[in-house]
Amino acid sequence: MGLMLLMSLMGLVGCSSDDDEFLGETSQGAIIPEVASYVTWYEEARQSNKGNRAWAVPTGYMAYEDGIKPIGIAFTQDTKAPMIGSFFYSSGKWRTSFDDIKAETYYLYGYIPHLPGIRYSITDYNGGANDSEKNADYSTGAIMTLENVPTVMPNDLCVVIGAKDGTGKETVDGLRRGAFAYAAKATSSGEDARGNYVFLLFDHLYASLRVKMKVFDTYAALRTIKLKSLQMSTKAGDTTSKDHNTITVKLLANDGSESPISGAITYEQTGATIGTGGEEGIEFWKSESAAGQTLTTAFQDFTGHFMPSGITTLILTSVYDVYDTKGNKIRENCKATNTMVVKDLLTEQTVTQRGKKYTVNMTINPTYLYVLSEPDLDNPTVTID
């Protein structure tokens, strides 16, 4: 299944009074007009390039499935402390938290999605003992650390594995994994306006669980199920995972023949054990409607993402309400828990792996009605004339 993700960050930025700066400051951050995201497909998906494009999405990639999300990013240069911030979408425009980016070459390292609770830090690949050594050689690579990352998330957590400046919204030369250099350009306005176009490649840090859920035809004729939320917890053997973790990724610049992720990604569990507070799991999906999402006799997809290291068991909890055919609520906030052991789901695999999507088909088909409603008892009578 898919191991890499491509995102193109493109933008003609606002005019700056200083020709050496390319980002214009606003009260809401510097504006970056456009961002488009691309991700490699998982095994079940297929790429589709429609229409005439000046630049085609590289083979094996597709749009980032989770839509517009903030990006945590570090602008780095050799011998200098990194500038850590974000790209984010606000008031219909892409913006950045940086206000002091010069028209120079940087090495970009980061992740998506950027969440307020996640703490992001970075050193160069050598990670020396003092500040000067830690920032000596970002052109070679970097060591990125993400702290306080939720163990289960609704979105696809990914790390930058390549960056390149483009010449237009859909034009870039030399974009590949293992190369992180981005040449920022001074902006201008008017007929000869110039802008900056940044293309980023990402790789998955988490695994994905896709639940395909439907109601069996016979039961659907009697009851309506409205799904309100989905929660997940995980286990490594008999040990339940904790609710957060610290992730450390080593990135080594290379010629693109292999992933720049050097060695194993480390996941250190932190926080409380999932379920300590009485919850069945961490919520990764919630209905937009307070009444819940109506399940039908056709499969509907619900996807969550989880820390994959050493995980042998996935535990899914569904929260739902039950209605009769007249729309009367029969049961409220019911919970159903399904335990899925990886070795029972897949051949020759006992633990989950990052970048893999695990699809489970689930059909609601009870063997009896738990609660009868008034309409269930409204049977016609037979009289003798």
Side-chain angles (χ1 to χ4, degrees):
M1 303 184 183
L3 293 178
M4 290 172 296
L5 145 72
L6 165 68
M7 172 173 182
S8 65
L9 170 65
M10 305 124 22
L12 177 63
V13 303
C15 178
S16 171
S17 59
D18 185 345
D19 191 54
D20 288 335
E21 297 180 352
F22 82 87
L23 295 178
E25 178 70 4
T26 72
S27 60
Q28 300 183 61
I31 297 175
I32 301 175
E34 297 183 38
V35 173
S37 304
Y38 302 93
V39 61
T40 185
W41 63 72
Y42 285 103
E43 185 172 288
E44 298 89 350
R46 292 293 182 268
Q47 181 186 19
S48 176
N49 289 327
K50 298 181 180 179
N52 296 320
R53 303 170 63 97
W55 174 77
V57 177
T59 302
Y61 297 89
M62 61 182 292
Y64 181 67
E65 292 181 304
D66 291 333
I68 297 174
K69 299 298 177 186
I71 304 165
I73 199 76
F75 278 68
T76 70
Q77 293 177 306
D78 289 347
T79 73
K80 297 181 181 180
M83 293 180 287
I84 298 177
S86 65
F87 298 122
F88 59 95
Y89 197 76
S90 175
S91 302
K93 296 179 180 180
W94 276 97
R95 305 173 187 273
T96 178
S97 60
F98 298 103
D99 59 5
D100 55 354
I101 303 299
K102 306 296 182 180
E104 299 172 356
T105 296
Y106 298 86
Y107 303 96
L108 303 187
Y109 301 97
Y111 69 100
I112 188 174
H114 170 62
L115 303 177
I118 296 177
R119 297 186 295 272
Y120 174 33
S121 60
I122 189 170
T123 70
D124 72 7
Y125 185 77
N126 298 309
N130 57 56
D131 289 341
S132 62
E133 291 177 349
K134 289 181 180 179
N135 301 319
D137 193 12
Y138 282 107
S139 57
T140 298
I143 301 175
M144 189 181 79
T145 301
L146 300 176
E147 298 179 272
N148 200 43
V149 184
T151 298
V152 175
M153 300 175 62
N155 303 122
D156 190 9
L157 182 67
C158 302
V159 59
V160 171
I161 60 168
K164 187 70 172 62
D165 48 287
T167 56
K169 295 178 181 179
E170 296 179 349
T171 54
V172 59
D173 294 322
L175 175 66
R176 63 171 178 81
R177 63 181 181 177
F180 297 90
Y182 161 69
K185 301 176 181 64
T187 59
S188 62
S189 58
E191 295 182 359
D192 297 326
R194 292 177 297 173
N196 282 273
Y197 302 88
V198 186
F199 290 77
L200 301 175
L201 286 165
F202 289 82
D203 194 343
H204 304 284
L205 290 175
Y206 272 18
S208 177
L209 173 66
R210 180 174 65 177
V211 179
K212 298 171 68 71
M213 191 176 294
K214 71 175 184 177
V215 181
F216 190 69
D217 296 15
T218 303
Y219 185 65
L222 300 173
R223 293 288 183 265
T224 296
I225 303 294
K226 293 189 177 183
L227 187 65
K228 301 173 79 171
S229 71
L230 290 171
Q231 304 166 7
M232 190 195 319
S233 63
T234 59
K235 286 185 175 182
D238 295 328
T239 304
T240 302
S241 302
K242 294 184 177 180
D243 56 12
H244 288 81
N245 55 102
T246 296
I247 304 171
T248 302
V249 187
K250 293 183 177 181
L251 299 158
L252 182 63
N254 59 27
D255 61 5
S257 60
E258 59 184 1
S259 172
I261 296 177
S262 177
I265 298 173
T266 62
Y267 303 84
E268 178 187 354
Q269 295 193 31
T270 62
T273 300
I274 299 175
T276 300
E279 73 283 357
E280 281 76 9
I282 299 174
E283 184 178 84
F284 67 86
W285 179 87
K286 184 176 182 179
S287 172
E288 295 180 357
S289 168
Q293 181 168 322
T294 301
L295 298 181
T296 68
T297 55
F299 279 119
Q300 297 179 51
D301 289 4
F302 306 91
T303 301
H305 305 267
F306 61 94
M307 190 282 295
S309 180
I311 299 304
T312 59
T313 304
L314 306 174
I315 303 170
L316 178 71
T317 298
S318 309
V319 182
Y320 59 94
D321 292 343
V322 182
Y323 294 79
D324 65 18
T325 55
K326 303 296 184 181
N328 301 305
K329 186 185 294 185
I330 305 303
R331 301 180 66 198
E332 186 175 34
N333 292 329
C334 302
K335 293 184 179 181
T337 299
N338 296 90
T339 300
M340 296 160 282
V341 180
V342 174
K343 67 180 180 63
D344 295 336
L345 295 175
L346 301 168
T347 303
E348 297 181 355
Q349 187 170 337
T350 59
V351 297
T352 57
Q353 300 173 13
R354 71 177 184 90
K356 297 293 182 71
K357 177 177 285 185
Y358 301 90
T359 299
V360 177
N361 295 336
M362 305 183 75
T363 301
I364 300 172
N365 185 24
T367 56
Y368 62 91
L369 297 181
Y370 189 81
V371 175
L372 293 177
S373 68
E374 289 294 335
D376 291 326
L377 302 178
D378 187 18
N379 297 322
T381 58
V382 179
T383 61
I384 300 176
D385 293 334

